[in-house]
């Protein structure tokens, strides 16, 4: 699921963005949220709402888009911020908050589709190489090559990796659908193992390269 946010106080520009995004041929499901004011976006972020892409207007009524972006960066360094502005000077300022790109108004289909195409490729590549989850609103990103196995613990999942162990709320059936089936396999109703970490298989036991028996 691709999570997208638009923060724009002018209805005409917000509608243009929404219409263009809805026209884009996404290769995955997406969820779109709109905000009229920067403080609404910041508050949602503080409450744990995370986005893969944020289209952020630089002039939001009495708010400065750079200040809004700085607040977002305090809790989320991974989200892609796309600066939307009528002035090229604001686009340059956007790089101070590690903006991923910028769009000059009026925004055209070609420009927006180009930005979304780039993000979609980056996110799919990241998804294929990493596993993401949240613990107390903190996003954790593990490389797939570092993951040993997942274990179902009632309503939680424990993921064991070379860098540590983590527990977060999810189901083993839902997790199985999200993971790359060529890399991760459900070997037991409570365990999903990384095939690259398997040393051998003995009867009903999987032996991992670090000696763990499942």
């Amino acid at each position: 699921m691709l999570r997208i946010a638009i923060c724009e106080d002018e209805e005409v520009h917000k509608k243009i963005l929404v219409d263009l995004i809805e026209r884009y041929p996404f290769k995955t499901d997406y969820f779109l949220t709109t905000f009229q004011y920067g403080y609404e976006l910041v508050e949602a972020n503080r409450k744990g709402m995370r986005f893969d892409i944020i289209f952020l207007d630089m002039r939001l009524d009495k708010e400065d888009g750079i200040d809004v972006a700085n607040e977002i960066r305090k809790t989320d360094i991974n989200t892609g911020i796309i600066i939307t502005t009528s002035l090229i000077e604001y686009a340059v300022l956007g790089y101070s908050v590690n903006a991923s790109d910028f769009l000059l108004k009026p925004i055209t289909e070609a420009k927006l589709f180009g930005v979304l195409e780039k993000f979609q490729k980056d996110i799919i590549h990241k998804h294929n190489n990493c596993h993401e989850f949240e613990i107390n609103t903190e996003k954790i990103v593990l490389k797939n090559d570092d993951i040993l196995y997942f274990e179902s613990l009632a309503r939680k999942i424990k993921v064991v990796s070379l860098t540590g162990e983590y527990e977060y709320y999810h189901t083993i059936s839902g997790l199985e659908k999200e993971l790359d089936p060529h890399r991760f396999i459900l070997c037991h109703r409570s365990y999903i193992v990384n095939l690259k970490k398997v040393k051998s298989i003995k009867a009903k036991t999987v032996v991992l390269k670090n000696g763990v028996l499942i």
Side-chain angles (χ1 to χ4, degrees):
M1 175 71 72
L2 191 62
R3 298 158 296 181
I4 304 172
I6 296 173
C7 190
E8 170 65 68
D9 61 341
E10 295 185 44
E11 285 300 320
V12 62
H13 291 300
K14 183 188 297 182
K15 186 177 186 306
I16 288 173
L17 268 173
V18 170
D19 289 346
L20 289 176
I21 289 172
E22 289 180 345
R23 269 191 261 161
Y24 182 76
F26 288 101
K27 297 178 181 178
T28 183
D29 293 333
Y30 74 93
F31 182 77
L32 177 61
T33 307
T34 62
F35 300 92
Q36 185 172 4
Y37 302 109
Y39 70 83
E40 296 174 332
L41 172 61
V42 171
E43 184 61 25
N45 186 262
R46 286 175 179 166
K47 290 181 178 179
M49 189 177 288
R50 296 290 183 265
F51 300 99
D52 298 296
I53 308 171
I54 297 175
F55 291 93
L56 178 61
D57 183 21
M58 285 291 94
R59 301 185 72 177
L60 294 161
D61 194 20
K62 297 179 181 179
E63 299 175 288
D64 187 325
I66 294 297
D67 292 337
V68 174
N70 277 321
E71 288 299 312
I72 295 296
R73 283 292 181 236
K74 289 179 181 179
T75 55
D76 192 343
I77 62 173
N78 296 307
T79 187
I81 296 178
I82 309 298
I83 301 301
T84 61
T85 179
S86 300
L87 301 172
I88 189 65
E89 291 82 359
Y90 279 100
V92 175
L93 286 174
Y95 290 103
S96 67
V97 292
N98 194 27
S100 301
D101 214 326
F102 70 90
L103 290 169
L104 287 176
K105 299 176 182 178
I107 298 171
T108 66
E109 179 181 288
K111 291 179 180 178
L112 180 66
F113 279 22
V115 168
L116 288 176
E117 178 67 19
K118 176 180 178 296
F119 263 94
Q120 187 164 246
K121 287 180 179 178
D122 290 346
I123 290 169
I124 291 175
H125 176 75
K126 184 178 180 181
H127 176 75
N128 289 337
N129 290 280
C130 297
H131 180 65
E132 296 184 7
F133 51 92
E134 290 188 2
I135 300 177
N136 297 325
T137 73
E138 178 186 1
K139 181 184 287 187
I140 308 295
V141 181
L142 298 179
K143 292 181 179 179
N144 284 338
D145 285 342
D146 289 341
I147 296 174
L148 297 170
Y149 65 91
F150 298 89
E151 180 181 0
S152 176
L153 302 173
R155 295 188 298 119
K156 284 188 173 184
I157 290 292
K158 179 171 77 171
V159 53
V160 179
S161 74
L162 299 177
T163 57
E165 299 183 6
Y166 306 86
E167 292 184 15
Y168 63 100
Y169 288 99
H170 204 358
T171 63
I172 199 76
S173 59
L175 181 63
E176 183 185 15
K177 295 176 183 177
E178 296 174 5
L179 297 172
D180 180 359
H182 299 293
R183 179 191 292 265
F184 295 98
I185 187 168
L186 183 72
C187 65
H188 179 277
R189 65 182 182 180
S190 296
Y191 289 92
I192 293 177
V193 297
N194 185 347
L195 290 175
K196 289 190 175 183
K197 301 301 180 183
V198 173
K199 179 181 179 181
S200 62
I201 299 175
K202 299 180 178 179
K204 297 182 179 181
T205 302
V206 173
V207 182
L208 300 183
K209 291 179 180 179
N210 66 340
V212 170
L213 304 180
I214 295 177

